[in-house]
């Protein structure tokens, strides 16, 4: 694909912990992990979505001053960042796999209007909905 | 002055993450009983500090937050579930019909039965918007306590 969205980032409190979570527990792959002075560029991708990278960025220098960094860290920890959505083929199966891996679920799989969704958070506080889309009616 | 204010309002992100856990647990099961002791334990804080820390973090005291969740759930059940008003009250964590009816009326501005007869269920026509986000957007905003709201309305 020659055009489209390439990277969208989220803030995490600790990039090492985030990498362990998204790769080790969720099942994403590392796309890029480069340390450049105090700045670490870390992105992961879904194995079935090679063209889209999720950036796992830590607030702090050189991009943020001390006050901004503290505000961002507070907001992330309070769960105030935008919700994220992960589509899965089998919500119950993924729930059981991820629960066994130690993922913190905020909502068990629930059927709603033909879809099944569950909720979890990453160690930083970012909230995800995991949705299995039902068969489209008609 | 501004600097002083900052140091007063700052909260440790690690504490905030644990307070969020208590908020998440209430959100998942708002019909359950949530004494401060239980919430403080989830957050790893002492009972004396839990409510104040929670309010500072999220802008509302924990039990008022819980009330918004219960009202949201009650509204959803009233518009979709055929159960009696008492059954709805119990399913949302109230232990008496009277308290439920009075609180619901104060927050929503309608009695549960009036609400039921006029409300339409949250439809799947939020197409493209996950229902869980649509649900959260229907939650009442309680900037003031219900007793304060009642008092102000009584004063006209």
């Amino acid at each position: 694909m020659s055009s489209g969205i390439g990277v969208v980032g989220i803030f995490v409190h600790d990039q090492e912990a985030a990498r362990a979570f998204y790769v080790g527990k969720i099942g994403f792959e590392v796309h890029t992990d480069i340390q450049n002075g105090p700045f670490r560029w870390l992105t992961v991708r879904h194995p079935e979505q090679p063209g889209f990278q999720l950036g796992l960025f830590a607030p702090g220098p050189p991009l943020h001053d001390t006050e901004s960094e503290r505000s961002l860290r507070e907001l992330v920890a309070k769960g105030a960042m935008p919700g994220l959505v992960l589509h899965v083929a089998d919500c119950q199966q993924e729930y059981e796999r991820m629960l066994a891996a130690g993922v913190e679920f905020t909502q068990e799989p629930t059927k709603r209007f033909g879809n099944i969704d569950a909720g979890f958070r990453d160690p930083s506080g970012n909230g995800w909905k995991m949705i299995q889309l039902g068969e489209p009616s008609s | 002055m501004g600097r002083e204010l900052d140091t007063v309002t700052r909260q440790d992100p690690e504490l905030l993450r644990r307070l969020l856990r208590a908020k998440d647990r209430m959100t998942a099961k708002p019909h359950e009983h949530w004494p401060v002791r239980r919430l403080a334990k989830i957050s790893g804080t002492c009972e004396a500090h839990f409510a104040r820390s929670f309010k500072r973090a999220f802008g509302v005291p924990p039990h008022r937050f819980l009330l918004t969740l219960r009202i949201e759930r009650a509204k959803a059940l009233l518009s979709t579930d055929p159960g009696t008003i008492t059954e709805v009250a119990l399913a949302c964590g109230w232990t008496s019909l009277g308290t439920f009816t009075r609180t619901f009326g104060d927050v929503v501005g309608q009695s549960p039965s009036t609400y039921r007869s006029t409300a339409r269920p949250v439809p799947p026509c939020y197409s493209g918007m996950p229902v869980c986000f649509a649900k959260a957007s229907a939650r009442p905003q309680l900037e003031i306590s219900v007793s304060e709201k009642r008092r102000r309305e009584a004063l006209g």
Side-chain angles (χ1 to χ4, degrees):
Chain A
M1 190 179 60
S2 58
S3 52
I5 298 174
V7 181
V8 172
I10 58 175
F11 285 122
V12 297
H13 77 296
D14 179 297
Q15 287 175 299
E16 204 52 43
R19 178 179 162 138
F21 177 81
Y22 283 101
V23 175
K25 295 186 177 176
I26 304 301
F28 293 173
E29 303 163 345
V30 172
H31 181 282
T32 309
D33 189 353
I34 298 171
Q35 187 79 42
N36 191 352
F39 184 71
R40 182 176 178 185
W41 173 266
L42 169 64
T43 68
V44 294
R45 67 180 172 192
H46 190 283
E48 292 172 31
Q49 223 173 0
F52 182 88
Q53 299 171 57
L54 178 70
L56 306 174
F57 304 133
L63 297 187
H64 308 106
D65 60 277
T66 307
E67 280 303 300
S68 302
E69 176 186 350
R70 288 173 69 177
S71 298
L72 288 168
R73 288 185 179 279
E74 286 182 0
L75 289 169
V76 172
K78 285 201 273 191
M81 293 314 214
L84 300 146
V85 176
L86 179 68
H87 284 149
V88 291
D90 187 328
C91 189
Q92 183 67 36
Q93 188 184 313
E94 285 299 290
Y95 168 74
E96 283 164 19
R97 179 187 68 78
M98 286 159 60
L99 191 65
V103 173
E104 179 182 346
F105 274 86
T106 52
Q107 182 211 304
E108 294 169 2
T110 308
K111 280 189 187 172
R112 285 189 249 246
F113 303 118
N115 299 333
I116 304 176
D117 66 68
F120 65 90
R121 283 198 194 279
D122 75 5
S124 302
N126 294 295
W128 285 83
K129 286 292 171 190
M130 181 163 80
I131 302 179
Q132 173 187 344
L133 295 173
E135 298 299 316
S137 54
S138 78
Chain B
M1 189 68 186
R3 184 171 294 272
E4 275 172 39
L5 194 67
D6 279 351
T7 56
V8 171
T9 52
R10 289 290 175 200
Q11 280 179 289
D12 177 14
E14 208 253 331
L15 167 67
L16 291 169
R17 183 65 185 84
R18 288 184 278 117
L19 292 169
L20 177 62
R21 198 160 287 138
K23 189 173 183 245
D24 281 342
R25 295 279 292 275
M26 283 193 280
T27 306
K29 295 186 169 154
H31 56 289
E32 290 190 358
H33 186 47
W34 291 103
V36 169
R37 189 186 312 119
R38 187 180 178 194
L39 293 166
K41 196 174 170 195
I42 292 167
S43 294
T45 63
C46 69
E47 291 179 40
H49 288 140
F50 174 78
R52 200 185 317 153
S53 302
F54 188 97
K55 179 164 193 283
R56 240 169 81 185
F58 302 114
V60 288
H63 288 104
R64 200 187 303 161
F65 174 72
L66 180 62
L67 176 62
T68 69
L69 297 172
R70 288 180 172 180
I71 294 286
E72 170 203 325
R73 187 180 167 102
K75 286 166 84 173
L77 286 180
L78 286 169
S79 58
T80 56
D81 191 282
T84 65
I85 305 280
T86 304
E87 283 165 349
V88 169
L90 295 177
C92 297
W94 275 278
T95 51
S96 102
L97 177 62
T99 312
F100 169 61
T101 305
R102 193 160 50 95
T103 310
F104 188 93
D106 285 337
V107 175
V108 180
Q110 282 177 309
S111 72
S113 51
T114 306
Y115 180 83
R116 166 172 270 173
S117 64
T118 55
R120 278 186 232 129
V122 176
C125 69
Y126 282 97
S127 59
M129 177 174 173
V131 179
C132 29
F133 293 116
K135 249 169 59 83
S137 67
R139 208 172 281 164
Q141 294 292 315
L142 288 180
E143 300 292 333
I144 54 171
S145 71
V146 171
S147 55
E148 174 64 12
K149 187 166 187 258
R150 203 176 283 152
R151 196 184 65 82
R152 290 189 195 175
E153 283 171 2
L155 290 170

